[in-house]
DNA sequence: AACTCGGGGTA
DNA sequence: TACCCAGAGTT
C-alpha cells in the first residue's frame, strides 16, 4: 500500500484491510472480488492483485512459509528490490539497503547528486551509495539478536530523516545531523536537488460514462484486469460517434426511457475533470433510465443497488457520480 | 531505458 | 497548478 502512496493516506486502508484479512492464508484463499473493494479509492490497483497473487505464491510454492532472503522475496509479485530488502531487514535481520523516495532525496542532497530521475544511471549511483552507507559492524556491547533491531532502526531512521527534516520543500537543515557533511547544504542547492522529473504536458481526453438506471439500481461492468482501473467496477463508456439510446439498446438490450444530455443540468450531472498522472480525463455522466431486460445482459455486467455503494470496488470518479445519483434519488 | 499506473497532500 | 509520495511491472 505504501508504494507511491503517502503514509497518512494508507493508514485507514491498511487498518480495514488487516481487519478483513488478518492472515496470509485468509488473503490467499479470498477472491479478487473480495479484495478490490478494500482497495477502492487507494489507486494503483495492480498492487492489490499482486498482493493477492503473492499470498498465493507463499502458500503454494513456499508451503506457507514466507521466504527470508531478499532475492527470493523479490520474486513475489509486486515486491521489487526496495520492498523486498525492507522486509528482509525488518523481519529477517538482513543487511541490505532500501531506496524509497525519502532515501533518494537524502542521498541526492548529501552527496550533491544531480541526475535525471528514473534513469538507470542515477538509480545505480543511488543504490551504490545506499549500500556503502550500511552500518558495517555492531557496537561491541549489543547482543547478536539485536542485529535486526539495529539494521531496521538504521533504515527507518534513513527514511524518517527524509520524511521529517530533509523534506522536499523547505528542509530543516538547521536541525539536521548531516548538515556539516551535506553537499547540497554547503553549496546552497537543497532546492535544486534532487532534480525534478521533466513531465510532458498531460493530454486531455474525454469520456461519456453511461449511468444506466432502473429503479434503484445502476448497470456496472468489470474492467479488464490490466490498464486503467484494472479489475475495478465501472460505468460503461459510450464510444465516440455512438448514439446513446441506440447503443444502450444494442449492447445491453435495455430500452431507453429517458436520457439526460450533457446540456441538461437538472439532474446535477455535469462534465467534470479527473486528473491522472499522465492525462486529464473530462468525464460526462449520461443518465439513462431504462426498462429492465436482464435476458439480454452482456457477460460481465450486473446491476448494483445504490444502497450498496459503500462496499463496491469503484474508482474514485465513478464513486463520486454514483453518490451524487444516490443522493438525488427519491427515497 | 522509458513509460505506465490513481489518488491525494502540499506549497 | 505542479510536484511527489515507504515503486514495480511492462514494453
Amino acid at each position: 500500500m505504501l508504494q507511491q502512496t503517502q503514509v497518512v493516506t494508507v493508514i485507514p486502508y491498511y487498518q480495514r484491510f488487516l481487519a478483513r484479512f488478518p492472515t496470509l492464508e485468509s488473503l490467499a484463499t479470498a477472491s479478487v472480488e473480495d479484495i478490490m473493494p478494500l482497495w477502492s479509492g487507494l489507486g494503483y490497483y495492480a498492487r492489490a492483485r499482486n498482493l493477492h497473487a503473492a499470498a498465493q505464491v507463499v502458500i503454494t510454492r513456499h508451503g506457507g512459509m514466507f521466504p527470508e532472503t531478499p532475492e527470493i522475496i523479490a520474486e513475489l509479485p509486486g515486491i521489487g528490490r526496495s520492498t523486498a530488502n525492507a522486509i528482509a531487514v525488518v523481519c529477517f535481520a538482513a543487511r541490505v539497503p532500501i531506496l524509497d523516495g525519502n532515501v533518494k532525496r537524502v542521498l541526492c542532497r548529501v552527496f550533491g547528486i544531480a541526475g535525471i530521475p528514473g534513469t538507470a544511471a542515477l538509480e545505480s549511483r543511488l543504490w551504490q551509495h545506499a549500500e556503502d552507507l550500511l552500518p558495517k559492524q555492531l557496537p561491541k556491547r549489543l547482543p547478536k539478536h539485536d542485529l535486526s533491531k539495529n539494521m531496521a532502526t538504521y533504515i527507518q531512521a534513513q527514511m524518517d530523516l527524509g520524511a521529517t527534516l530533509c523534506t522536499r520543500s523547505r528542509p530543516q537543515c538547521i536541525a539536521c545531523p548531516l548538515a556539516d557533511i551535506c553537499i547540497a547544504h554547503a553549496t546552497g542547492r537543497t532546492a535544486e536537488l534532487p532534480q525534478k522529473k521533466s513531465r510532458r504536458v498531460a493530454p486531455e481526453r474525454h469520456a461519456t460514462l453511461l449511468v444506466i438506471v432502473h429503479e434503484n439500481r445502476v448497470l456496472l461492468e468489470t474492467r479488464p484486469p490490466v490498464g486503467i482501473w484494472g479489475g475495478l467496477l465501472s460505468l460503461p463508456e459510450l464510444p465516440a460517434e455512438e448514439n446513446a439510446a441506440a447503443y444502450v439498446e444494442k449492447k445491453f438490450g435495455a430500452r431507453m426511457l429517458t436520457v439526460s444530455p450533457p446540456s441538461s443540468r437538472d439532474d446535477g450531472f455535469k462534465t467534470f475533470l479527473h486528473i491522472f498522472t499522465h492525462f486529464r480525463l473530462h468525464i460526462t455522466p449520461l443518465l439513462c433510465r431504462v426498462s429492465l431486460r436482464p435476458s439480454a445482459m452482456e457477460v460481465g455486467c450486473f446491476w448494483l443497488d445504490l444502497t450498496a455503494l459503500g462496499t463496491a470496488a469503484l474508482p474514485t470518479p465513478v464513486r463520486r457520480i454514483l453518490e451524487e445519483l444516490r443522493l438525488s434519488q427519491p427515497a
Side-chain angles (χ1 to χ4, degrees):
Chain A
M1 286 182 175
L2 288 165
Q3 288 166 356
Q4 293 300 103
T5 306
Q6 295 178 0
V7 175
V8 291
T9 305
V10 161
I11 288 172
Y13 287 88
Y14 174 79
Q15 291 175 332
R16 280 197 296 272
F17 198 90
L18 274 195
R20 173 65 181 81
F21 302 111
T23 67
L24 192 146
E25 186 176 6
S26 67
L27 180 61
T29 56
S31 69
V32 182
E33 290 72 25
D34 293 330
I35 295 171
M36 297 315 291
L38 285 92
W39 217 277
S40 169
L42 192 57
Y44 283 118
Y45 300 99
R47 297 179 298 179
R49 295 192 299 277
N50 284 333
L51 184 61
H52 183 223
Q56 295 181 330
V57 168
V58 172
I59 296 289
T60 60
R61 195 185 326 167
H62 301 294
M65 290 288 293
F66 202 96
E68 302 193 1
T69 67
E71 294 78 12
I72 306 296
I73 297 173
E75 291 177 3
L76 296 171
I79 308 292
R81 183 176 177 185
S82 187
T83 305
N85 285 3
I87 294 170
V89 168
V90 173
C91 302
F92 307 115
R95 182 180 174 276
V96 285
I98 58 162
L99 203 57
D100 73 332
N102 289 311
V103 176
K104 288 178 183 176
R105 186 169 55 252
V106 170
L107 295 179
C108 281
R109 285 177 176 161
V110 169
F111 294 103
I113 298 171
I116 298 168
T119 61
L122 177 60
E123 294 292 309
S124 171
R125 284 185 70 186
L126 292 174
W127 274 113
Q128 190 60 54
H129 277 295
E131 186 162 353
D132 293 343
L133 285 169
L134 288 172
K136 292 212 163 34
Q137 61 184 60
L138 290 171
K140 291 278 193 290
R141 293 191 297 106
L142 274 180
K144 189 176 181 184
H145 70 266
D146 273 334
L147 172 64
S148 63
K149 281 187 181 175
N150 197 50
M151 201 58 68
T153 300
Y154 169 75
I155 65 167
Q156 186 68 56
Q158 207 177 22
M159 286 188 286
D160 285 348
L161 182 61
T164 60
L165 297 180
C166 195
T167 49
R168 180 159 66 95
S169 56
R170 302 198 306 188
Q172 297 177 252
C173 304
I174 189 73
C176 182
L178 299 182
D180 19 341
I181 65 161
C182 179
I183 294 180
H185 183 242
T187 59
R189 289 190 292 155
T190 56
E192 285 78 48
L193 299 175
Q195 247 177 56
K196 288 171 181 160
K197 238 179 224 173
S198 62
R199 211 170 295 225
R200 297 175 303 175
V201 178
E204 310 272 344
R205 296 188 201 169
H206 180 266
T208 300
L209 297 185
L210 298 171
V211 188
I212 303 175
V213 176
H214 178 76
E215 292 175 351
N216 206 38
R217 290 178 295 177
V218 62
L219 187 67
L220 295 181
E221 61 185 16
T222 303
R223 294 188 59 87
V226 292
I228 211 96
W229 299 338
L232 266 72
L233 307 178
S234 186
L235 296 164
E237 183 176 350
L238 179 67
E241 313 297 323
E242 285 274 5
N243 172 274
Y247 183 76
V248 168
E249 175 129 19
K250 175 178 68 178
K251 171 123 186 184
F252 303 105
R255 183 180 305 152
M256 299 277 295
L257 299 178
T258 62
V259 187
S260 73
S263 55
S264 166
R265 295 288 178 254
D266 293 342
D267 51 41
F269 277 10
K270 297 175 183 169
T271 298
F272 64 96
L273 177 66
H274 183 76
I275 299 175
F276 291 91
T277 309
H278 44 296
F279 64 96
R280 294 154 54 88
L281 184 62
H282 298 263
I283 300 175
T284 302
L286 190 62
L287 182 60
C288 313
R289 297 195 180 275
V290 300
S291 57
L292 183 58
R293 280 211 213 150
S295 56
M297 292 293 289
E298 287 220 343
V299 178
C301 295
F302 67 98
W303 294 96
L304 178 75
D305 197 291
L306 286 177
T307 59
L309 291 182
T311 56
L314 301 167
T316 295
V318 174
R319 180 174 298 282
R320 168 179 164 177
I321 293 170
L322 296 183
E323 285 292 352
E324 198 168 314
L325 174 65
R326 182 175 64 84
L327 295 175
S328 70
Q329 286 282 81

